[in-house]
């Protein structure tokens, strides 16, 4: 796809300016309430949709549909990240006022990692089409784990990133405000807040195993896959605080995500077969993919609301799981 340089520049400027405004707006540590989270969520979704409109106008309907599908797909898959965020915050007993700062730097790391992974993924897919079959296998396996209840448990304290951090420098037992590193007895010491950021980054690397193959099923153009991923990731923090305390209520959403992953795996197989075996093998058009994802998400949310989990409203949720320290 021939993407004009100015569109890349517009994207980069939008991301940098948005992150700067976000950082300045939250320079003072405070608890993010529902109203504030709702306003920021609306802002991030609005930015993503406006940029999508620019893609439609500039690059055409196909590119615009692929961008929208990829953004919605990444947005839906990122819900799993929210549960892990809640687990990490509870494990490290992160004060609620510090959680936004942690997620802010976690997002910056995620943007960098996804740039690397997606660039490599696009290069590999464009050169070796058979890799799509391998990606499909990964997605089928992920779908099976979710539906069978065999998802791997993520232990924040034992993640590779946290273990490496502890080897590089000592980590103190108590928080020192919003500082990541402090000087103690003439040496640099990490605070638990830095360990939390490391755990967040480790979690994103795990989720990239599903996310990258899935989005490459929608498009193999780096501009489409990265910009859609970036705008979905940018809205993660606000979405977390918006849904804090409500995550357990959407208990059918994980089943919906499993079905989406399986559907995307089928889409990958058909794409690979179309290119490698016969052009008579049909591919699933992007508009159909978009419609399927929307319907599955809508059904999952509707079922969750109409059939509450056993035991009432569910668990305490993300917002109440973190203990002030």
């Amino acid at each position: 796809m021939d993407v004009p340089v100015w569109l890349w520049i517009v994207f980069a400027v939008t991301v940098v300016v948005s992150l700067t405004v976000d950082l300045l707006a939250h320079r003072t540590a405070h608890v993010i309430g529902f109203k504030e989270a709702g306003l920021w969520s609306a802002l991030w979704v609005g930015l993503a949709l406006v940029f999508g409109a620019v893609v439609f106008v500039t690059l055409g309907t196909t590119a615009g549909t692929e961008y929208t599908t990829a953004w919605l797909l990444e947005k839906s898959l990122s819900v799993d990240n929210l549960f892990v965020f809640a687990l990490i915050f509870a494990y490290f007993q992160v004060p609620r006022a510090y959680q936004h700062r942690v997620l802010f730097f976690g997002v910056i790391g995620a943007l960098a990692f996804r740039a690397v992974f997606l660039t490599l993924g696009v290069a590999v897919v464009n050169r070796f089409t058979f890799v799509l079959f391998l990606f499909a296998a990964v997605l089928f396996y992920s779908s099976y784990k979710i539906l069978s209840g065999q998802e791997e448990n993520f232990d924040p304290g034992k993640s590779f990133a946290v273990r490496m951090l502890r080897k590089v420098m000592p980590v103190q037992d108590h928080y020192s405000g919003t500082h990541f590193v402090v000087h103690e007895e003439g040496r640099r010491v990490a605070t638990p807040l830095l360990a939390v950021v490391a755990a967040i980054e480790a979690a994103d690397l795990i989720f990239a195993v599903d996310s990258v193959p899935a989005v490459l099923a929608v498009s193999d153009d780096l501009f489409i896959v990265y910009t859609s991923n970036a705008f979905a990731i940018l809205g993660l923090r606000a979405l977390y605080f918006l849904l804090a305390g409500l995550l357990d209520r959407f208990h059918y959403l994980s089943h919906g995500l499993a079905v989406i992953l399986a559907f995307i795996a089928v889409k990958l197989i058909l794409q690979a077969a179309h290119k490698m075996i016969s052009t008579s093998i049909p591919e699933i058009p992007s508009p159909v993919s978009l419609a399927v994802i929307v319907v599955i998400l809508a059904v999952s949310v509707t079922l969750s609301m109409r059939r509450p989990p056993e035991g009432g409203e569910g668990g305490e949720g993300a917002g109440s799981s973190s203990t002030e320290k």
Side-chain angles (χ1 to χ4, degrees):
M1 186 179 299
D2 187 15
V3 180
V5 176
W6 67 263
L7 193 54
W8 274 107
I9 295 175
V10 168
F11 164 70
V13 170
T14 301
V15 171
V16 171
V17 171
S18 299
L19 287 174
T20 301
V21 172
D22 191 352
L23 182 62
L24 292 175
H26 299 92
R27 59 185 178 276
T28 302
H30 64 281
V31 177
I32 309 296
F34 182 83
K35 181 178 180 180
E36 182 179 356
L39 291 174
W40 278 99
S41 291
L43 174 62
W44 292 120
V45 170
L47 278 176
L49 295 179
V50 169
F51 189 80
V54 173
V55 172
F56 265 104
V57 172
T58 306
L59 302 180
T61 302
T62 300
T65 303
E66 289 179 352
Y67 166 86
T68 305
T69 305
W71 173 75
L72 185 59
L73 175 62
E74 179 62 27
K75 199 75 172 174
S76 60
L77 293 178
S78 67
V79 173
D80 270 354
N81 295 48
L82 305 185
F83 287 98
V84 174
F85 291 165
L87 171 65
I88 292 173
F89 288 152
Y91 181 91
F92 288 99
Q93 295 185 328
V94 183
R96 294 181 64 193
Y98 302 162
Q99 291 177 4
H100 182 276
R101 182 172 175 82
V102 169
L103 293 179
F104 179 87
F105 287 97
V107 162
I108 292 178
L111 290 173
F113 286 136
R114 292 301 172 89
V116 174
F117 293 152
L118 289 172
T119 300
L120 292 175
V122 168
V124 169
V125 168
N126 286 332
R127 187 178 181 117
F128 306 105
T129 305
F130 71 88
V131 172
L132 294 177
F133 289 113
L134 300 180
F135 285 170
V138 170
L139 296 182
F140 273 131
Y141 179 63
S142 297
S143 177
Y144 167 75
K145 285 195 302 180
I146 295 174
L147 291 176
S148 62
Q150 298 180 20
E151 290 184 90
E152 296 179 4
N153 293 322
F154 177 75
D155 187 338
K158 295 181 180 179
S159 67
F160 177 76
V162 174
R163 286 188 282 112
M164 288 301 296
L165 174 63
R166 295 185 186 280
K167 289 183 178 181
V168 172
M169 64 173 66
V171 180
Q172 64 182 19
D173 296 328
H174 58 279
Y175 289 94
S176 298
T178 57
H179 295 291
F180 292 114
V181 178
V182 296
H183 285 85
E184 190 176 88
E185 298 179 354
R187 61 175 182 170
R188 290 162 60 90
V189 179
T191 70
L193 214 58
L194 186 58
V196 178
V197 173
I200 292 287
E201 300 296 359
D204 182 70
L205 292 177
I206 294 174
F207 282 110
V209 174
D210 293 338
S211 177
V212 172
V215 77
L216 289 175
V218 177
S219 175
D220 59 2
D221 182 82
L222 181 59
F223 178 80
I224 296 297
V225 296
Y226 184 64
T227 55
S228 58
N229 256 249
F231 278 110
I233 291 171
L234 285 171
L236 263 183
R237 290 153 300 156
L239 185 62
Y240 172 79
F241 293 111
L242 182 66
L243 297 182
L246 299 177
L247 292 176
D248 289 338
R249 298 183 185 182
F250 298 108
H251 54 293
Y252 282 113
L253 194 54
S254 61
H255 294 77
L257 296 180
V259 175
I260 289 175
L261 288 176
F263 168 74
I264 295 299
V266 172
K267 179 177 172 64
L268 278 173
I269 291 175
L270 291 176
Q271 283 182 359
H274 180 85
K275 294 178 180 179
M276 296 183 64
I277 300 175
S278 172
T279 55
S280 63
I281 297 176
E283 294 182 281
I284 300 177
S286 292
V288 174
S289 300
L290 178 59
V292 169
I293 292 172
V294 169
V295 170
I296 293 174
L297 289 176
V299 170
S300 301
V301 172
T302 301
L303 286 177
S304 297
M305 300 302 291
R306 296 188 63 179
R307 300 178 183 176
E310 294 182 6
E313 297 294 336
E316 291 183 346
S320 56
S321 61
S322 43
T323 306
E324 297 287 347
K325 186 168 181 173

